[in-house]
């Protein structure tokens, strides 16, 4: 059962919310982050990517970066650019993209739920990325970025949450703005103790929460909590370090976009040889237009200025296996590895990945610029992620691309 808890959120004053809210730290590099904050001293990237306030030559993992992050956060709190709610609250965070809304509940999740697998995972994490966020959380003494969770929608729970933020009520959002990428952001504070208790109890009936995005942040937050437990052997379990910041959206609200592939070469094959090999496992149909797959087990392929539709043949995958039946696995197991010779997509320099938010034209552009072939994918579904997590397996690399991205800086959870 899911354990959630209200907290005294540290959040921006209303007039600065749109300036403080920033994309998560891991969707850009340092150079991009420096460009994004030009003219905006309030951006949360000054905390999440504090190296942007130091000399560009500095190692992003230098101790000075984490000290600067803490300094910036403490300063913004002292200067009252952030405020803290006086009592523990829950929060509603709604995002609107192209007229489509997703409504999540902001709370603190239990590190014990993570350890006991009540919060399920579907990705491996890397030690170096974990250590970076461990240092960041530890120095800031705070969870600065929310973990993106999902759950199988429960109508009663969703109705209670949505009633609080329903149009026409006297409860107005504390934040209501559109970010530079056109995404709308609205936040409500649930400060009614009876409603808070009701929602906490309703989530207690939900069997599992699932990490949609933020595996490194969640693993790091949990490890910091465990470190604090070692430092405080008489801990009671009620301390803030036993919990981490999260936003949970019902699965039916979420949109997973396609995560497409481009490859530099045909592994020494001619175009004819390559197509012959692909035809052993796929039905190939040449098309006069761009191919954006509309069904599972179908793929678009762009090669030599031509688009093709690939349809996986029977026997090219195991329909009963939650991993083998994923489109990313079908492409990997039948094309990328055996034909193109790409064994590990995480480490190969011959392959790149393009989020569906960039559009099909970006695949053509990359092939014309520096790649040889592109594959457009059918988007992985949230149910696929849950099915894999339920079997305690992991998704193949680069399987999911969630949009819109959660903004950091709207909520901060202090560990003391």
């Amino acid at each position: 059962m899911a354990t959630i808890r209200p907290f005294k959120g540290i959040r921006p004053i209303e007039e600065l919310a749109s300036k403080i809210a920033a994309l998560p730290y891991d969707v850009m590099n340092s150079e991009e982050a420096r460009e994004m904050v030009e003219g905006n001293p309030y951006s949360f990237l000054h905390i999440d990517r504090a190296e942007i306030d130091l000399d560009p030559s500095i190692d992003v993992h230098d101790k000075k970066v984490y000290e600067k992050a803490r300094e910036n956060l403490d300063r913004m709190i002292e200067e009252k650019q952030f405020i803290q709610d006086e009592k523990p609250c829950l929060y509603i965070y709604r995002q609107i993209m192209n007229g489509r809304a997703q409504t999540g509940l902001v709370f603190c999740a239990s590190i014990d739920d993570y350890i006991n697998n009540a919060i399920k995972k579907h990705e491996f994490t890397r030690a170096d990325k974990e250590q970076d966020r461990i240092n960041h959380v530890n120095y800031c003494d705070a969870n600065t970025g929310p973990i993106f969770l999902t759950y199988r929608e429960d109508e009663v729970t969703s109705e209670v949450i949505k009633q609080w933020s329903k149009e026409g009520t006297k409860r107005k959002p504390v934040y209501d703005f559109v970010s530079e990428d056109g995404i709308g952001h609205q936040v409500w504070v649930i400060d009614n103790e009876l409603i808070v208790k009701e929602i906490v109890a309703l989530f207690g009936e939900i069997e599992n929460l699932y990490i949609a995005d933020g595996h490194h942040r969640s693993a790091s937050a949990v490890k910091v909590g465990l470190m604090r437990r070692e430092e405080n052997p008489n801990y009671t379990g009620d301390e803030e370090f036993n919990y981490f910041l999260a936003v949970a959206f019902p699965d039916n609200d979420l949109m997973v976009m396609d995560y497409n592939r481009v490859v530099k070469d045909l592994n020494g094959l001619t175009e004819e040889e390559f197509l012959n090999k692909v035809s052993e496992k796929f039905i190939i149909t040449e098309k006069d237009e761009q191919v954006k797959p509309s069904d599972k087990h179908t793929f678009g392929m762009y090669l030599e200025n031509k688009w093709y539709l690939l349809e996986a043949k029977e026997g090219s995958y195991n329909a009963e296996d939650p991993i083998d039946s994923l489109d990313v696995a079908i492409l990997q197991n039948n094309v990328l590895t055996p034909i193109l010779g790409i064994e590990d997509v995480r480490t190969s320099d011959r392959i790149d990945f393009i989020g569906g938010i960039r559009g099909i034209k970006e695949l053509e552009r990359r092939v014309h610029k520096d790649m040889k072939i592109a594959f457009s994918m059918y988007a992985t579904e949230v149910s696929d992620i849950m099915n894999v997590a339920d079997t305690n397996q992991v998704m193949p690399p680069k399987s999911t691309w969630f949009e819109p991205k959660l903004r950091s800086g709207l909520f901060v959870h202090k560990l003391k």
Side-chain angles (χ1 to χ4, degrees):
M1 300 297 106
T3 303
I4 72 167
R5 158 163 145 156
F7 66 105
K8 296 178 181 179
I10 295 174
R11 52 188 183 81
I13 58 174
E14 184 177 359
E15 55 267 36
L16 289 182
S18 63
K19 294 181 179 180
I20 288 175
L23 287 168
Y25 77 97
D26 53 356
V27 301
M28 84 284 289
N29 58 34
S30 291
E31 183 179 350
E32 291 168 331
R34 290 176 191 274
E35 293 175 0
M36 294 170 83
V37 302
E38 285 186 9
N40 183 8
Y42 303 107
S43 172
F44 203 72
L45 290 176
H46 291 287
I47 294 165
D48 259 358
R49 275 199 168 272
E51 73 269 17
I52 63 177
D53 291 335
L54 301 171
D55 189 277
S57 64
I58 195 166
D59 186 323
V60 297
H61 301 128
D62 192 291
K63 177 182 177 181
K64 294 178 181 177
V65 174
Y66 306 114
E67 291 175 336
K68 188 64 175 177
R70 178 179 60 203
E71 175 190 324
N72 287 344
L73 176 60
D74 290 347
R75 173 182 53 77
M76 292 179 76
I77 292 173
E78 290 170 7
E79 294 178 357
K80 301 193 183 306
Q81 294 165 16
F82 283 100
I83 57 173
Q84 184 170 24
D85 289 307
E86 295 182 357
K87 61 181 180 180
C89 301
L90 297 174
Y91 306 85
I92 295 172
Y93 180 18
R94 177 174 295 151
Q95 296 177 290
I96 304 168
M97 176 179 174
N98 298 327
R100 184 180 185 278
Q102 59 184 38
T103 303
L105 184 73
V106 184
F107 53 79
C108 279
S110 164
I111 68 171
D112 291 308
D113 278 0
Y114 179 97
I115 294 167
N116 298 328
N117 209 33
I119 297 175
K120 291 185 173 290
K121 308 90 179 167
H122 68 263
E123 285 183 10
F124 287 127
T125 56
R126 284 173 41 184
D128 58 336
K129 288 188 174 184
E130 278 191 27
Q131 190 59 53
D132 169 59
R133 286 299 102 176
I134 288 172
N135 292 339
H136 179 82
V137 172
N138 210 23
Y139 273 80
C140 289
D141 194 34
N143 304 133
T144 59
I147 311 306
F148 186 170
L149 302 177
T150 187
Y151 59 95
R152 290 186 173 89
E153 182 164 21
D154 172 83
E155 291 184 6
V156 176
T157 305
S158 294
E159 186 61 25
V160 171
I161 293 171
K162 289 179 179 178
Q163 280 296 324
W164 189 268
S165 56
K166 188 176 181 180
E167 287 188 16
T169 69
K170 294 181 180 180
R171 292 183 288 271
K172 302 297 182 184
V174 292
Y175 310 133
D176 189 353
F177 64 91
V178 177
S179 50
E180 73 284 347
D181 54 4
I183 308 300
H185 303 267
Q186 298 176 318
V187 171
W188 288 261
V189 179
I190 305 178
D191 54 3
N192 182 298
E193 293 181 12
L194 292 177
I195 299 298
V196 167
K197 288 181 180 178
E198 180 182 5
I199 294 174
V200 169
L202 286 170
F203 266 82
E205 299 299 318
I206 293 173
E207 186 173 1
N208 292 115
L209 296 172
Y210 298 80
I211 298 175
D213 198 10
H215 283 76
H216 287 92
R217 274 170 285 167
S218 54
S220 302
V222 170
K223 289 184 178 179
V224 171
L226 294 176
M227 289 165 53
R228 297 295 174 90
R229 286 181 174 183
E230 289 186 9
E231 296 166 1
N232 299 273
N234 296 321
Y235 76 91
T236 65
D238 194 50
E239 298 86 355
E240 292 298 329
F241 58 71
N242 294 288
Y243 299 84
F244 60 90
L245 180 62
V247 186
F249 295 86
D251 57 346
N252 292 337
D253 268 16
L254 298 184
M255 179 176 67
V256 188
M257 298 192 75
D258 42 304
Y259 211 167
N260 304 308
R261 279 88 166 115
V262 287
V263 180
K264 286 186 177 180
D265 57 70
L266 296 184
N267 197 28
L269 300 172
T270 65
E271 179 186 350
E272 182 178 4
E273 290 170 336
F274 173 75
L275 289 174
N276 284 338
K277 286 182 177 291
V278 172
S279 67
E280 294 175 10
K281 296 296 180 70
F282 297 87
I283 299 169
I284 304 177
T285 307
E286 187 174 335
K287 294 292 185 178
D288 295 327
E289 57 189 6
Q290 296 173 338
V291 178
K292 182 176 174 62
S294 57
D295 294 296
K296 282 188 175 184
H297 312 331
T298 63
F299 309 81
M301 183 174 72
Y302 187 62
L303 174 65
E304 298 295 341
N305 296 314
K306 295 179 184 177
W307 275 100
Y308 300 86
L309 173 67
L310 307 184
E311 299 173 82
K313 292 181 179 179
E314 187 175 342
S316 61
Y317 61 95
N318 179 359
E320 302 302 319
D321 188 299
I323 298 289
D324 197 59
S325 59
L326 293 171
D327 283 359
V328 289
I330 292 171
L331 186 70
Q332 181 70 41
N333 297 337
N334 293 285
V335 179
L336 297 182
T337 296
I339 300 177
L340 294 177
I342 298 174
E343 297 290 342
D344 188 344
V345 298
R346 291 171 295 188
T347 59
S348 175
D349 60 2
R350 295 172 52 225
I351 189 169
D352 200 1
F353 304 88
I354 299 174
I357 194 72
R358 305 288 295 275
I360 296 294
K361 280 189 175 295
E362 178 65 11
L363 300 183
E364 294 183 348
R365 189 190 73 83
R366 287 296 303 274
V367 169
H368 296 157
K369 177 187 177 185
D370 60 347
M371 294 289 175
K372 179 68 175 178
I373 188 170
F375 298 94
S376 57
M377 310 289 293
Y378 182 75
T380 302
E381 297 177 349
V382 177
S383 58
D384 294 325
I385 298 170
M386 290 179 164
N387 290 338
V388 169
D390 283 338
T391 58
N392 297 316
Q393 299 186 75
V394 296
M395 299 284 288
K398 309 296 184 180
S399 295
T400 57
W401 182 279
F402 284 93
E403 287 289 346
K405 301 295 184 188
L406 302 185
R407 289 271 159 161
S408 295
L410 295 176
F411 314 95
V412 174
H413 168 238
K414 274 287 191 179
L415 302 186
K416 290 180 183 175

